[in-house]
PDB file of all heavy atoms in Angstrom:
ATOM      1  N   VAL D  26     -19.154  37.171 -25.436  1.00 34.00           N
ATOM      2  CA  VAL D  26     -17.769  36.717 -25.621  1.00 34.00           C
ATOM      3  C   VAL D  26     -16.870  37.270 -24.523  1.00 34.00           C
ATOM      4  O   VAL D  26     -16.008  36.573 -23.974  1.00 34.00           O
ATOM      5  CB  VAL D  26     -17.236  37.136 -27.015  1.00 34.00           C
ATOM      6  CG1 VAL D  26     -15.739  36.899 -27.112  1.00 34.00           C
ATOM      7  CG2 VAL D  26     -17.973  36.362 -28.099  1.00 34.00           C
ATOM      8  N   GLY D  27     -17.078  38.550 -24.195  1.00 39.00           N
ATOM      9  CA  GLY D  27     -16.282  39.159 -23.138  1.00 39.00           C
ATOM     10  C   GLY D  27     -16.489  38.485 -21.804  1.00 39.00           C
ATOM     11  O   GLY D  27     -15.549  38.265 -21.048  1.00 39.00           O
ATOM     12  N   MET D  28     -17.749  38.132 -21.504  1.00 36.00           N
ATOM     13  CA  MET D  28     -18.050  37.449 -20.247  1.00 36.00           C
ATOM     14  C   MET D  28     -17.401  36.083 -20.191  1.00 36.00           C
ATOM     15  O   MET D  28     -16.833  35.674 -19.174  1.00 36.00           O
ATOM     16  CB  MET D  28     -19.562  37.307 -20.085  1.00 36.00           C
ATOM     17  CG  MET D  28     -20.280  38.629 -19.835  1.00 36.00           C
ATOM     18  SD  MET D  28     -22.076  38.437 -19.797  1.00 36.00           S
ATOM     19  CE  MET D  28     -22.264  37.398 -18.356  1.00 36.00           C
ATOM     20  N   ILE D  29     -17.453  35.363 -21.309  1.00 35.00           N
ATOM     21  CA  ILE D  29     -16.814  34.039 -21.364  1.00 35.00           C
ATOM     22  C   ILE D  29     -15.321  34.164 -21.173  1.00 35.00           C
ATOM     23  O   ILE D  29     -14.687  33.400 -20.440  1.00 35.00           O
ATOM     24  CB  ILE D  29     -17.138  33.331 -22.702  1.00 35.00           C
ATOM     25  CG1 ILE D  29     -18.628  33.004 -22.768  1.00 35.00           C
ATOM     26  CG2 ILE D  29     -16.296  32.078 -22.874  1.00 35.00           C
ATOM     27  CD1 ILE D  29     -19.081  32.493 -24.123  1.00 35.00           C
ATOM     28  N   TYR D  30     -14.724  35.148 -21.828  1.00 34.00           N
ATOM     29  CA  TYR D  30     -13.275  35.351 -21.722  1.00 34.00           C
ATOM     30  C   TYR D  30     -12.888  35.643 -20.276  1.00 34.00           C
ATOM     31  O   TYR D  30     -11.934  35.077 -19.746  1.00 34.00           O
ATOM     32  CB  TYR D  30     -12.826  36.503 -22.615  1.00 34.00           C
ATOM     33  CG  TYR D  30     -11.363  36.849 -22.456  1.00 34.00           C
ATOM     34  CD1 TYR D  30     -10.388  36.117 -23.120  1.00 34.00           C
ATOM     35  CD2 TYR D  30     -10.978  37.896 -21.631  1.00 34.00           C
ATOM     36  CE1 TYR D  30      -9.046  36.415 -22.946  1.00 34.00           C
ATOM     37  CE2 TYR D  30      -9.645  38.199 -21.450  1.00 34.00           C
ATOM     38  CZ  TYR D  30      -8.681  37.462 -22.124  1.00 34.00           C
ATOM     39  OH  TYR D  30      -7.359  37.763 -21.937  1.00 34.00           O
ATOM     40  N   CYS D  31     -13.655  36.530 -19.628  1.00 35.00           N
ATOM     41  CA  CYS D  31     -13.341  36.896 -18.252  1.00 35.00           C
ATOM     42  C   CYS D  31     -13.492  35.699 -17.325  1.00 35.00           C
ATOM     43  O   CYS D  31     -12.694  35.487 -16.420  1.00 35.00           O
ATOM     44  CB  CYS D  31     -14.247  38.028 -17.773  1.00 35.00           C
ATOM     45  SG  CYS D  31     -13.873  39.608 -18.574  1.00 35.00           S
ATOM     46  N   GLU D  32     -14.553  34.895 -17.578  1.00 36.00           N
ATOM     47  CA  GLU D  32     -14.764  33.716 -16.745  1.00 36.00           C
ATOM     48  C   GLU D  32     -13.612  32.745 -16.886  1.00 36.00           C
ATOM     49  O   GLU D  32     -13.086  32.208 -15.916  1.00 36.00           O
ATOM     50  CB  GLU D  32     -16.076  33.048 -17.128  1.00 36.00           C
ATOM     51  CG  GLU D  32     -16.413  31.842 -16.260  1.00 36.00           C
ATOM     52  CD  GLU D  32     -17.729  31.223 -16.636  1.00 36.00           C
ATOM     53  OE1 GLU D  32     -18.475  31.830 -17.419  1.00 36.00           O
ATOM     54  OE2 GLU D  32     -18.011  30.125 -16.130  1.00 36.00           O
ATOM     55  N   ASN D  33     -13.178  32.500 -18.127  1.00 36.00           N
ATOM     56  CA  ASN D  33     -12.063  31.579 -18.344  1.00 36.00           C
ATOM     57  C   ASN D  33     -10.776  32.131 -17.766  1.00 36.00           C
ATOM     58  O   ASN D  33      -9.954  31.394 -17.211  1.00 36.00           O
ATOM     59  CB  ASN D  33     -11.886  31.323 -19.848  1.00 36.00           C
ATOM     60  CG  ASN D  33     -13.003  30.466 -20.400  1.00 36.00           C
ATOM     61  OD1 ASN D  33     -13.694  29.791 -19.647  1.00 36.00           O
ATOM     62  ND2 ASN D  33     -13.199  30.504 -21.710  1.00 36.00           N
ATOM     63  N   ALA D  34     -10.569  33.430 -17.917  1.00 33.00           N
ATOM     64  CA  ALA D  34      -9.357  34.036 -17.370  1.00 33.00           C
ATOM     65  C   ALA D  34      -9.343  33.900 -15.864  1.00 33.00           C
ATOM     66  O   ALA D  34      -8.309  33.609 -15.250  1.00 33.00           O
ATOM     67  CB  ALA D  34      -9.287  35.510 -17.780  1.00 33.00           C
TER      68      ALA D  34
END
Side-chain angles (χ1 to χ4, degrees):
V26 169
M28 291 175 64
I29 293 172
Y30 175 82
C31 290
E32 183 178 349
N33 288 341

